[in-house]
Amino acid sequence: MIRVLFVCLGNICRSPMAEAVMRDLVEKEHLSHRIEVDSAATSSWHIGEPPHRGTQDKLKEYDISTKGMQGRQLQKADFNHFDYIIGMDESNIRNIRTMVGNPDSPKIFRFLDLTDHQKDVPDPYYTGNFQETYDLVLEGCHALLEKIKIENQM
Ligand code: 4NP
């Protein structure tokens, strides 16, 4: 099993959006038995909470469910469990590296560095623009799935 973890600050806007979009792509490609997807926060602020209403509504527009999803915080043990640990922005990357105690691992990288954008995913908690975030998340998830397929002979 290949395990993918998306990480953002609160685990209510960007990383759950990426988790749900990625899981949807994986299901559509009939790869659910090969690829597992999860998300987590660097902060403890929203543990146990469902995704932000804006994330839920945007995903619903694209027929993607957020049922049962709830915020959790990144744990040190996640470093060994997951094969791809993806930060939504540069500050997430810095915090992930510190929290898992493994500053140099190539498992940890910034999401949109997989795309031509090479930038942070804008945080809709502050921008209010869930569409912009969704569009970038979808592009990033396509790029990530291609990378996973190539690196794992799928
Ligand atoms: P996220 O967005 O990291 O994409 O989930 C945020 C969610 C909550 C807060 C900040 C960003 N907050 O300050 O509570």
Side-chain angles (χ1 to χ4, degrees), residues 40-138:
T42 56
S43 78
S44 61
W45 303 336
H46 299 282
I47 293 172
E49 292 179 27
H52 190 287
R53 172 52 57 192
T55 287
Q56 290 191 42
D57 289 350
K58 186 51 63 187
L59 290 172
K60 194 171 274 182
E61 272 181 51
Y62 293 94
D63 250 332
I64 299 173
S65 170
T66 55
K67 194 157 175 266
M69 293 177 74
Q70 49 173 322
R72 74 167 182 94
Q73 189 172 25
L74 181 70
Q75 298 176 294
K76 202 164 184 182
D78 289 323
F79 181 75
N80 290 325
H81 185 73
F82 289 94
D83 303 291
Y84 298 86
I85 301 172
I86 303 157
M88 307 306 282
D89 66 33
E90 199 53 52
S91 85
N92 302 147
I93 295 293
R94 282 194 301 275
N95 287 322
I96 295 165
R97 292 191 195 289
T98 307
M99 290 170 79
V100 302
N102 202 316
D104 301 322
S105 173
K107 278 193 203 184
I108 302 167
F109 56 90
R110 187 174 66 160
F111 190 37
L112 293 182
D113 284 345
L114 297 177
T115 71
D116 292 338
H117 298 287
Q118 308 257 322
K119 64 171 187 177
D120 294 344
V121 178
D123 192 340
Y125 190 82
Y126 303 113
T127 68
N129 191 343
F130 287 84
Q131 185 66 53
E132 174 192 35
T133 296
Y134 175 84
D135 292 341
L136 288 166
V137 162
L138 181 59

